[in-house]
C-alpha cells in the first residue's frame, strides 16, 4: 500500500483528498503546516507528497525545495494561484505536477496514480530497495551505510555504524560491553571494554538531541546498553 502525505492547511480540503485517496487503497497522513510537513516528509517513508502552496510555518516552494535536496519521490503541488509564474517556479523547484484549485478529487486521484506508476517505471519495480531501519526520525540505510537524523545525514565511522546498526536490529535487548565488543570487533574484550564506551558516547553525540537523556541507546547501569524501540 502506497503512503501519501498531504500538506494542506485547509482541513476540509485535506479531509476530502484523504477520503478519496483512501477509497483508492492509499494510506494517507495529513499535516497542516509547512514546517511540520517537511519534517515528516524527510523523516518518514512516503511514496508521494501532495503539497499546498500557501502554508503556515513554511510555504510550499520552500518545502518542495528541501524535499528535493534530500529525497526522490513524486511531489504534486496544489494551489489556488493560477499564474504561470507560480507554476514555472514550482516545477522548477522539482515539483512533478502543479494542480490548480478548484479541482475534482477524482482528478487528483488519477494524477496521483499516474505519477506513482511513472515513478515505478523510472525506478524499476523490480529493483531491490535499500535495507533501511527507521525509528523515530533515525534512519539507518544498511545498504548505503548511511545514517540520517530527521533527514540530515550524519558521518559515522565503520565501527560506529556497525555498533548502532547491531543495537537497532536487536531492540529492547540488554547487551554487556563484553558482548558488544565480541559482536562488533570479533575479539576477546579483555582490557578493551572502554572501546565500547567511547563508541557509544560518539554515537549519542550524533543521534541524540539530549545525550544526558538518550531516546535511542539507554545505559542499563551495572549491565550494559539497550536500544529503545
Amino acid at each position: 500500500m502506497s503512503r501519501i502525505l498531504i500538506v494542506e492547511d485547509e482541513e476540509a480540503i485535506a479531509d476530502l483528498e484523504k477520503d478519496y485517496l483512501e477509497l483508492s487503497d492509499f494510506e494517507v497522513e495529513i499535516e497542516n503546516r509547512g514546517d511540520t510537513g517537511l519534517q515528516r516528509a524527510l523523516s518518514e517513508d512516503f511514496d508521494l507528497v501532495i503539497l499546498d502552496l500557501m502554508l503556515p510555518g513554511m510555504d510550499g516552494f520552500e518545502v518542495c525545495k528541501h524535499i528535493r535536496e534530500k529525497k526522490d519521490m513524486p511531489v504534486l503541488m496544489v494551489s489556488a494561484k493560477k499564474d504561470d509564474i507560480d507554476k514555472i517556479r514550482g516545477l522548477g523547484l522539482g515539483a512533478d505536477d502543479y494542480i490548480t484549485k478548484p479541482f475534482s478529487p477524482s482528478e487528483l486521484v488519477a494524477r496521483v496514480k499516474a505519477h506513482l506508476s511513472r515513478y515505478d517505471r523510472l525506478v524499476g519495480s523490480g529493483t531491490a530497495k535499500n535495507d533501511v531501519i527507521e525509528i523515530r526520525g533515525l534512519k539507518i540505510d544498511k545498504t548505503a551505510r548511511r545514517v540520517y537524523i530527521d533527514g540530515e545525514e550524519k558521518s559515522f565511522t565503520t565501527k560506529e555504524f556497525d555498533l548502532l546498526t547491531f543495537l537497532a536490529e536487536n531492540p529492547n535487548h540488554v547487551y554487556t560491553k563484553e558482548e558488544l565488543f565480541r559482536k562488533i570487533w570479533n575479539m576477546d574484550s579483555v582490557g578493551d571494554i572502554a572501546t565500547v564506551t567511547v563508541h557509544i558516547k560518539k554515537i549519542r553525540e550524533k543521534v541524540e538531541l539530549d545525550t544526558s537523556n538518550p531516546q535511542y541507546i539507554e545505559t542499563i547501569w551495572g549491565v550494559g546498553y539497550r536500544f529503545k524501540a
Side-chain angles (χ1 to χ4, degrees), residues 6 40 50 80 82 115 126 134 211:
I6 297 173
R40 290 197 67 183
I50 298 172
K82 297 180 174 63
H115 282 286
E134 287 203 57
T211 56

Side-chain angles (χ1 to χ4, degrees), residues 39 42-45 71 132-141 146-154 156 160-161 163-169 203-204 206-209 215-217 227-229:
Q39 184 179 23
L42 296 182
S43 63
E44 299 181 35
D45 273 343
K71 288 203 170 185
V132 174
I133 302 170
E134 287 203 57
I135 302 174
R136 299 187 307 278
L138 169 64
K139 177 179 178 180
I140 304 170
D141 188 331
R146 303 172 81 172
V147 178
Y148 303 84
I149 288 290
D150 294 329
E152 180 182 351
E153 185 172 3
K154 302 292 183 177
F156 274 68
E160 288 169 1
F161 182 89
L163 181 55
L164 174 63
T165 302
F166 175 76
L167 289 169
E169 287 182 322
I203 291 170
R204 282 175 171 162
K206 296 173 183 180
V207 304
E208 301 286 1
L209 290 175
Q215 64 169 318
Y216 297 113
I217 302 176
F227 192 94
K228 193 190 306 183

Side-chain angles (χ1 to χ4, degrees), residues 19-175:
D19 289 342
Y20 270 80
L21 288 165
E22 287 182 338
L23 285 172
S24 296
D25 294 325
F26 292 109
E27 181 182 339
V28 184
E29 299 289 337
I30 296 175
E31 283 295 331
N32 303 120
R33 293 177 55 87
D35 46 3
T36 56
L38 174 61
Q39 184 179 23
R40 290 197 67 183
L42 296 182
S43 63
E44 299 181 35
D45 273 343
F46 289 100
D47 297 289
L48 181 144
V49 176
I50 298 172
L51 180 63
D52 188 34
L53 182 56
M54 304 302 292
L55 293 163
M58 180 184 293
D59 68 34
F61 290 130
E62 280 298 306
V63 174
C64 182
K65 176 184 175 183
H66 289 300
I67 290 175
R68 274 290 164 260
E69 289 173 351
K70 301 287 185 180
K71 288 203 170 185
D72 182 20
M73 61 181 167
V75 176
L76 276 62
M77 193 168 279
V78 175
S79 176
K81 290 190 172 184
K82 297 180 174 63
D83 295 340
D84 286 343
I85 189 65
D86 291 308
K87 295 181 182 180
I88 293 169
R89 185 182 176 193
L91 296 171
L93 288 170
D96 295 271
D97 205 346
Y98 190 105
I99 308 173
T100 304
K101 296 178 181 178
F103 54 83
S104 69
S106 57
E107 178 191 357
L108 176 67
V109 172
R111 294 206 193 191
V112 165
K113 290 180 176 179
H115 282 286
L116 286 173
S117 176
R118 174 178 174 271
Y119 181 79
D120 283 342
R121 289 197 303 272
L122 289 174
V123 173
S125 57
T127 302
K129 293 185 177 181
N130 283 14
D131 189 357
V132 174
I133 302 170
E134 287 203 57
I135 302 174
R136 299 187 307 278
L138 169 64
K139 177 179 178 180
I140 304 170
D141 188 331
K142 293 173 59 182
T143 307
R145 293 185 67 85
R146 303 172 81 172
V147 178
Y148 303 84
I149 288 290
D150 294 329
E152 180 182 351
E153 185 172 3
K154 302 292 183 177
S155 178
F156 274 68
T157 66
T158 299
K159 292 303 183 187
E160 288 169 1
F161 182 89
D162 291 344
L163 181 55
L164 174 63
T165 302
F166 175 76
L167 289 169
E169 287 182 322
N170 298 278
N172 299 323
H173 184 107
V174 180
Y175 289 95

